[in-house]
Amino acid sequence: MGCKTSVPCNATKKSERCKCLLRAALLIQRWYRATMARIEMRRRYCLNIFQSIEYADEQAQLQLSNFFTFMMDHDLEMTESNFSLAEFERRIDVPDSYYGPRLKFPLTVADANALLDAFKKEELLHARYVLQLLHETRRVLKEMPNITYLSTSYSKEITVCGDLHGKLDDLLMIFYKNGLPSEKNPYVFNGDFVDRGDNSMEILIILFAFLLIYPNDLHLNRGNHEDYIMNDLPKIGSDFKKFILQVHGKVILYLLEDVFSWLPLATVVDSKVLILHGGISDTTDLDFLNLFERSKVREHVHVGLLLSSLKNLAAVGPHEEDSSRDPTQKEWQQTLDILWSDPRNQRGCIPNKLRGGGCYFGPDITAKLFERYNLKMLIRSHECKQDGYEIGHGGKVITIFSASNYYEDGSNRGAYIKLNPDLIPRFIQYQVTFHSAHSPPRINTVEGAALKALREKIYANKTELMEAFMSKDLTGAGKLSVSDWAEAMESVLQLELPWRTLRAQLARLSADGRIEYTSCFYDLEIEKPVEEPSLVETLCKYRKDLEMIFNFIDKDQSGLISLEEFHHTWRLFCAHMGVETDDEAIIKLANTIDYNKDGYIDFSEFLGAFHVVHRLDKGK
């Protein structure tokens, strides 16, 4: 009898254990899925924060175009006698102590390999060779059409790369994984080679060298950052100072801008795949884009006075083209649209107000262009994507972005596309990292960097935000509903962010469920404060603008600004921006920033004096 009853008893226990294990597995699965969903949400809003701030900064850079013209008109000291390219080369000697690459033109593959090896070792290319390389590159680009037509029949595959933004490690990773450019391994680099990263000049030198060696197999499309105004001048200026004699920095800047203006606008593969940097609009006309003189359309906005002044500053070679005709409105708008536009899921075509240029184009606009020109696919770049690429408009529009860790280490992967004769895209992803495989960058690090950047933006607009808060706080309680707080934040910052989602990270709730809006500023303070709060807040608000302006006013490109130059620059800046101040306040500010009292201000001193820091960071 005992044996007969023990069997079902054991079976029951086993069944209960299985049910418990199944329930535990389901709970773990639900927890894992919920955790991954939360992490994905955090990654998405981090990317959203980074992009919104980036686009707002781009708008600020565009607004500086008028200021550069203003400064050129009011700075009579910026004149130099004209001299020819040959004379300029003679002024730059290559000393015997120089052990970097020595280039001979026409370049060979050995020269390109020497450049790659030198840059991997953080060696420099001498200024004379930089100048010659730019001059030869301009000569080759001027022979190219506005739109380049390629065929996969000459090679098995064509590689398409997106934005690199001065990140040399990503370019080296692409070459390591995919091989160097050659007749059998053609490349298309789809703009934005420069800016943001630390190695813009190295990337340009490498790409231009391979272009000279393989002009039919390496193709460069122009991006919106291949532009005098859109370049982050302090960043690219620091790159220039590594390579060129400081006294001739602005001459090289003009020569590079001329090279940028001759970059082709688009590439078409097998008459089916259109490759361009930004996007299209409802008026995009590929036939028209292929006809006008692209070098005339240089900036996002008309900056004719600036370019005229730069041309007078230094004549760096013969200009056969007629420089008397400005681009027409249609030429300017067509170029603007393909460099700046972004796709969206909604139908139609509307102005891209977030970037300040181009448009948002829907799937119907894509279909219309494809029908007109019998296209199959549009490959564009221009936007950072978490996985390095994104497919939209029913598979017709592909965004490719090749700069990994663009905003922060771990923020995104990079990718490139392999196009075979069947025109089926194959995506190769990668992520350059200096972490070990066992300690990859965590979402907390990326999130912390994104929120820090956002809080800096909030502090920079403190006065306007407080006015917006108080206009909604009719009782003066210092509290607002979540909806009123979010509306005030968006009305001032105009970043199109999910403020309700971000509320917990930015502000404190009171017991009645309303937001204590002054808590937005609790975790922020100014390091080494000065007594002129209006000047400090203005400086925080226009920090990137001031970096660009200071590099522009730094006549010898030394990276040091004298106190007289600081005073002169600040007066011009305040006059242009409509900010009221007096000489005594400016002098006091300059003396406060000049910590070592050597009579000069470098960028570290200038930015460090007003750097927005987090109290929590100071406790680490």
Side-chain angles (χ1 to χ4, degrees):
M1 294 291 293
C3 293
K4 292 181 181 179
T5 57
S6 64
V7 173
C9 181
N10 291 335
T12 301
K13 290 181 179 180
K14 186 175 182 180
S15 176
E16 287 297 327
R17 284 198 299 270
C18 290
K19 290 180 180 179
C20 288
L21 289 173
L22 182 59
R23 284 196 295 268
L26 289 174
L27 287 173
I28 292 173
Q29 185 182 63
R30 289 173 185 170
W31 172 85
Y32 176 79
R33 288 176 175 174
T35 300
M36 294 307 295
R38 286 194 295 269
I39 291 175
E40 180 65 19
M41 181 186 70
R42 292 167 68 189
R43 282 176 176 158
R44 288 183 180 276
Y45 80 62
C46 286
L47 191 63
N48 199 356
I49 291 172
F50 281 129
Q51 285 185 329
S52 296
I53 293 176
E54 178 189 11
Y55 297 164
D57 290 341
E58 284 182 344
Q59 286 198 51
Q61 286 178 263
L62 297 176
Q63 293 169 3
L64 281 179
S65 61
N66 293 329
F67 178 73
F68 284 132
T69 303
F70 178 85
M71 287 186 63
M72 295 296 291
D73 289 342
H74 291 79
D75 192 353
L76 301 179
E77 297 180 15
M78 291 193 62
T79 58
E80 273 190 31
S81 59
N82 293 344
F83 48 87
S84 66
L85 177 64
E87 182 180 351
F88 186 42
E89 288 180 342
R90 285 196 297 271
R91 293 188 183 189
I92 305 180
D93 296 322
V94 182
D96 294 336
S97 59
Y98 170 72
Y99 292 103
R102 293 179 180 266
L103 303 182
K104 292 184 179 180
F105 295 86
L107 296 181
T108 64
V109 176
D111 292 316
N113 287 328
L115 289 172
L116 287 169
D117 292 338
F119 294 155
K120 289 176 184 177
K121 300 174 184 176
E122 298 185 357
E123 296 177 354
L124 306 180
L125 180 65
H126 193 272
R128 182 184 181 91
Y129 302 126
V130 175
L131 176 68
Q132 290 176 321
L133 182 72
L134 293 177
H135 181 68
E136 287 298 308
T137 300
R138 181 176 64 176
R139 179 184 60 80
V140 170
L141 288 175
K142 289 171 71 172
E143 301 299 320
M144 295 182 175
N146 291 1
I147 300 178
T148 305
Y149 289 86
L150 306 180
S151 174
T152 56
S153 62
Y154 299 107
S155 63
K156 294 182 179 179
E157 290 183 308
I158 294 176
T159 302
V160 183
C161 301
D163 299 31
L164 287 167
H165 279 299
K167 298 178 75 65
L168 179 61
D169 290 329
D170 288 295
L171 179 62
L172 297 178
M173 175 67 79
I174 293 170
F175 286 165
Y176 172 77
K177 293 173 69 70
N178 195 62
L180 296 177
S182 68
E183 294 177 351
K184 296 182 179 180
N185 192 25
Y187 277 83
V188 177
F189 287 90
N190 198 26
D192 280 11
F193 325 119
V194 298
D195 209 5
R196 311 293 192 205
D198 295 326
N199 301 107
S200 291
M201 280 303 298
E202 288 91 337
I203 287 179
L204 286 177
I205 289 169
I206 292 170
L207 294 182
F208 290 166
F210 277 110
L211 174 70
L212 295 180
I213 298 168
Y214 299 110
N216 298 318
D217 304 292
L218 185 131
H219 308 277
L220 305 176
N221 286 343
R222 181 177 173 182
N224 64 309
H225 281 258
E226 276 69 61
D227 180 282
Y228 190 89
I229 299 302
M230 284 312 303
N231 271 309
D232 185 352
L233 292 182
K235 178 67 70 176
I236 202 164
S238 66
D239 279 350
F240 275 121
K241 281 177 279 198
K242 294 187 300 185
F243 288 96
I244 63 174
L245 293 179
Q246 296 170 348
V247 70
H248 300 308
K250 290 183 175 63
V251 178
I252 297 292
L253 281 173
Y254 168 68
L255 178 56
L256 183 59
E257 168 60 12
D258 202 31
V259 172
F260 284 164
S261 73
W262 284 105
L263 288 169
L265 301 176
T267 301
V268 176
V269 178
D270 291 346
S271 301
K272 294 293 183 182
V273 180
L274 174 64
I275 307 172
L276 44 76
H277 180 72
I280 59 175
S281 72
D282 53 356
T283 61
T284 296
D285 186 338
L286 298 183
D287 297 325
F288 180 80
L289 280 168
N290 207 24
L291 294 177
F292 65 85
E293 189 174 345
R294 63 183 181 273
S295 67
K296 297 297 183 184
V297 186
R298 294 187 174 224
E299 283 78 32
H300 172 79
V301 290
H302 294 292
V303 205
L305 291 177
L306 172 63
L307 292 176
S308 297
S309 300
L310 285 171
K311 289 180 180 179
N312 292 332
L313 173 67
V316 291
H319 293 267
E320 296 82 2
E321 67 273 14
D322 178 15
S323 60
S324 61
R325 186 184 69 81
D326 290 331
T328 66
Q329 175 67 24
K330 184 176 180 180
E331 291 170 346
W332 175 78
Q333 190 65 53
Q334 288 278 318
T335 306
L336 182 68
D337 286 342
I338 66 170
L339 295 183
W340 282 86
S341 296
D342 295 309
R344 66 171 190 163
N345 294 327
Q346 295 80 10
R347 292 172 59 85
C349 183
I350 62 173
N352 193 331
K353 294 182 179 180
L354 190 60
R355 286 189 185 269
C359 68
Y360 290 113
F361 63 97
D364 56 322
I365 305 300
T366 299
K368 177 183 174 183
L369 187 82
F370 280 23
E371 182 179 0
R372 179 178 178 183
Y373 294 102
N374 195 25
L375 296 172
K376 178 181 178 181
M377 187 188 309
L378 168 62
I379 297 177
R380 43 92 60 181
S381 302
H382 195 43
E383 288 183 286
C384 177
K385 297 300 179 183
Q386 186 174 313
D387 295 320
Y389 72 93
E390 185 176 84
I391 302 174
H393 291 190
K396 295 180 179 179
V397 175
I398 295 175
T399 298
I400 190 72
F401 196 85
S402 299
S404 66
N405 309 307
Y406 178 55
Y407 295 114
E408 181 71 21
D409 194 11
S411 63
N412 66 283
R413 294 181 179 182
Y416 56 89
I417 297 174
K418 302 286 288 184
L419 269 183
N420 59 23
D422 294 329
L423 301 181
I424 298 174
R426 182 164 58 95
F427 301 97
I428 291 85
Q429 298 171 288
Y430 55 87
Q431 190 159 19
V432 176
T433 178
F434 299 100
H435 294 268
S436 70
H438 302 289
S439 59
R442 305 178 69 87
I443 181 61
N444 291 344
T445 303
V446 179
E447 184 180 45
L451 291 173
K452 182 176 181 180
L454 181 56
R455 289 181 181 127
E456 290 183 0
K457 182 69 71 174
I458 290 171
Y459 184 89
N461 292 271
K462 181 178 179 180
T463 299
E464 292 88 342
L465 283 169
M466 285 300 296
E467 291 175 355
F469 292 150
M470 289 187 289
S471 69
K472 293 179 177 295
D473 182 15
L474 302 180
T475 63
K479 302 176 184 178
L480 290 176
S481 67
V482 175
S483 60
D484 284 344
W485 175 83
E487 185 178 330
M489 293 289 283
E490 182 58 32
S491 67
V492 173
L493 299 179
Q494 297 184 5
L495 295 177
E496 297 185 7
L497 289 174
W499 295 110
R500 293 170 184 268
T501 303
L502 294 171
R503 192 278 313 158
Q505 306 286 352
L506 300 176
R508 190 169 65 194
L509 276 182
S510 62
D512 60 2
R514 293 190 294 169
I515 293 178
E516 299 175 3
Y517 51 78
T518 56
S519 65
C520 293
F521 315 108
Y522 283 175
D523 291 334
L524 298 171
E525 63 180 12
I526 297 297
E527 188 177 307
K528 303 184 190 308
V530 296
E531 297 178 4
E532 290 75 27
S534 61
L535 278 178
V536 174
E537 189 174 330
T538 300
L539 183 59
C540 290
K541 189 170 185 177
Y542 300 109
R543 184 179 62 180
K544 290 184 180 296
D545 299 5
L546 287 170
E547 289 180 7
M548 295 177 66
I549 294 167
F550 262 59
N551 191 75
F552 191 80
I553 204 70
D554 181 12
K555 299 176 181 60
D556 61 359
Q557 298 292 290
S558 65
L560 297 174
I561 303 297
S562 68
L563 298 184
E564 292 79 13
E565 287 176 331
F566 176 88
H567 183 273
H568 178 63
T569 302
W570 187 256
R571 292 295 299 177
L572 285 176
F573 179 76
C574 290
H576 183 71
M577 299 303 299
V579 178
E580 294 184 4
T581 187
D582 55 51
D583 291 342
E584 183 179 353
I586 296 175
I587 293 171
K588 195 172 185 179
L589 178 62
N591 289 329
T592 303
I593 296 173
D594 183 19
Y595 300 132
N596 59 10
K597 306 304 178 186
D598 63 351
Y600 293 92
I601 299 171
D602 60 30
F603 287 113
S604 296
E605 286 179 321
F606 182 75
L607 296 178
F610 303 95
H611 184 56
V612 179
V613 297
H614 296 263
R615 288 180 180 147
L616 293 177
D617 290 344
K618 297 183 75 173
K620 293 180 180 180

